[in-house]
Amino acid sequence: MMRRVYNFGAGPAILPVPVLQQASQGVLEIGSSGMSILEISHRSKEYEAIHFGTAERLLRVLGLDADDYDVLFLGGGASLQFAMLPMNFLNGGVADYVHTGEWSGKAMKEARHFGSVNVAASSEEGNFSFIPKDLKLTPGAKYLHITTNNTIEGTEWPELPACTVPLVADASSDILARKLDYSRFTLLYAGAQKNLGPAGVTLVVVRKSFVQEAASDLPAMLSYRVHAKAGSLYNTPPVVAIYIVGLVLAWIEEQGGVGALEAVNRQKAQAVYEALDEFPDVYEPTVKAKEDRSIMNVTFRLRDTSREQEFLQGAADRQMVGLKGHRSVGGFRASMYNAFPLEGALALADYLREFARKGK
Ligand code: PMP
């Protein structure tokens, strides 16, 4: 039908082929409306069914109760949530943040506009190559913020930290990739463009009781209360992105849910880490603490940096793209989100071995 490369890109990222096929049909006509999903009103019956159906499905896949949680579909990316969260909840108080990488740094920077940030722990001195587990929490903090998976540095929290204050997470790069007790989160947010769909919509899943505590004197578009009350239809939502998130969620359910995806995600990551660990004189995996290694973003360097171009070219010759590390850290990164096929991970593992042997 079309040419498909192995897309290791960190986001926007690979989507399941059946979703692309359904979406292309939806671009022609949605349901029997006689209109494209690109053309239809966000106030139409057809769209409302998609909109609320997607929210309901998301909670079901996360294992959360619709009586307890609201789902918001917002614009502005996860980056807007860095500011919106403290704007709604900090109110001059203190929040605890765990600093595990570039994105948590940006989240803290935005929070400081609205109150005090206590850095409960940081792995900055170790180049963010591990997840700090010993947290200095503030009694009475408004919330504790973590980044469940650090997309750039390639670490993930193996277990959620214990805390008594509301736990808040940036789950942009591992939402629905592994089984977590999502009810531990009072609020979580995620840009859709990795595990959930295309760029353009950010999902916020928040306890209804927490929304009641949000500031009430904010500009409407920045207020969780306003969006929650309006069911994310206060203004025109990112209709097309939400539609595709709905298709991805249906695909996840067809695969057997998060547990089934996690099993494959672990196989993919293990295949690549094993190949890297076999050749320590050729590759340096940037995350040494094995329990903290991300199953979504595998980060590594070549010991001999003069071979970087050769490595990328060889990968491209094998239809593997998107392996360059984030521009802030260099090196390489293989992102293997839910839709990334196991055979692609096995192909990369083969290539890593072949490349390492060639250099000897
Ligand atoms: N948080 C994490 C963990 C991310 O990986 C990213 C983007 N890659 C962001 C936040 C920023 O997301 P956005 O571009 O949607 O603002």
Side-chain angles (χ1 to χ4, degrees):
M1 100 201 212
M2 54 191 179
R3 193 171 84 84
R4 298 289 283 167
V5 295
Y6 291 127
N7 179 0
F8 288 94
I14 189 167
L15 289 169
V17 171
V19 167
L20 299 178
Q21 285 166 331
Q22 286 166 25
S24 60
Q25 182 53 44
V27 166
L28 296 175
E29 184 181 4
I30 194 76
S32 51
S33 66
M35 285 177 274
S36 161
I37 187 67
L38 309 179
E39 301 170 315
I40 201 162
S41 164
H42 64 294
R43 306 282 175 204
S44 63
K45 267 203 322 288
E46 288 89 348
Y47 177 69
E48 282 199 353
I50 291 171
H51 186 91
F52 294 110
T54 300
E56 201 183 293
R57 218 184 260 276
L58 177 66
L59 290 179
R60 190 159 72 228
V61 179
L62 287 167
L64 297 175
D65 195 328
D67 290 339
D68 299 333
Y69 283 87
D70 279 324
V71 172
L72 311 180
F73 299 120
L74 305 179
S79 299
L80 180 61
Q81 295 312 305
F82 294 163
M84 206 166 146
L85 167 75
M87 183 183 266
N88 278 263
F89 293 109
L90 203 41
N91 190 26
V94 185
D96 287 335
Y97 278 72
V98 185
H99 190 20
T100 49
E102 202 164 310
W103 295 116
S104 70
K106 290 194 166 146
M108 293 194 297
K109 186 161 178 244
E110 296 293 60
R112 290 190 181 104
H113 291 291
F114 305 100
S116 310
V117 166
N118 169 51
V119 184
S122 169
S123 51
E124 188 168 17
E125 281 193 8
N127 270 327
F128 301 120
S129 61
F130 64 95
I131 299 286
K133 314 273 167 19
D134 187 14
L135 310 186
K136 306 251 171 327
L137 300 176
T138 312
K142 302 277 183 168
Y143 56 82
L144 165 64
H145 180 282
I146 64 167
T147 312
T148 49
N149 181 80
N150 297 279
T151 326
I152 296 176
E153 295 80 6
T155 58
E156 75 182 17
W157 285 79
E159 276 171 38
L160 300 177
C163 65
T164 51
V165 302
L167 181 61
V168 169
D170 174 358
S172 293
S173 50
D174 72 342
I175 187 168
L176 297 177
R178 57 182 170 137
K179 265 195 124 88
L180 285 178
D181 178 1
Y182 282 101
S183 73
R184 287 283 322 280
F185 298 107
T186 296
L187 184 150
L188 71 83
Y189 58 90
Q193 66 270 22
K194 298 166 199 302
N195 263 331
L196 290 177
V201 63
T202 305
L203 289 96
V204 177
V205 179
V206 54
R207 276 195 188 271
K208 289 176 192 278
S209 56
F210 201 46
V211 175
Q212 295 310 314
E213 293 173 33
S216 49
D217 56 348
L218 297 174
M221 283 300 289
L222 299 171
S223 164
Y224 289 126
R225 280 175 187 271
V226 168
H227 289 294
K229 188 158 175 241
S232 298
L233 285 165
Y234 172 76
N235 72 326
T236 319
V239 167
V240 177
I242 294 167
Y243 163 62
I244 297 174
V245 168
L247 299 179
V248 171
L249 291 169
W251 175 83
I252 291 176
E253 287 192 312
E254 272 165 33
Q255 305 307 299
V258 181
L261 293 174
E262 176 178 9
V264 183
N265 288 336
R266 291 203 180 278
Q267 281 180 49
K268 292 185 283 188
Q270 197 187 341
V272 175
Y273 283 119
E274 258 175 29
L276 291 171
D277 287 334
E278 245 169 72
F279 299 94
D281 48 342
V282 179
Y283 302 112
E284 182 193 7
T286 49
V287 183
K288 272 115 210 152
K290 290 196 179 168
E291 74 278 10
D292 295 345
R293 284 177 169 179
S294 169
I295 58 169
M296 295 280 95
N297 312 98
V298 178
T299 50
F300 60 98
R301 294 174 192 287
L302 288 181
R303 303 257 176 215
D304 178 358
T305 50
S306 73
R307 293 185 74 199
E308 286 188 350
Q309 261 322 311
E310 180 198 342
F311 181 82
L312 281 180
Q313 187 55 52
D317 293 343
R318 289 161 181 76
Q319 312 296 313
M320 298 183 204
V321 304
L323 283 165
K324 228 174 158 164
H326 189 268
R327 61 190 186 283
S328 63
V329 294
F332 300 95
R333 169 173 56 175
S335 299
M336 297 178 289
Y337 299 115
N338 283 338
F340 191 89
L342 176 60
E343 64 177 52
L346 300 177
L348 176 59
D350 283 349
Y351 173 54
L352 287 167
R353 292 192 173 93
E354 192 184 317
F355 181 85
R357 290 190 181 115
K358 200 168 71 176
K360 298 214 162 186

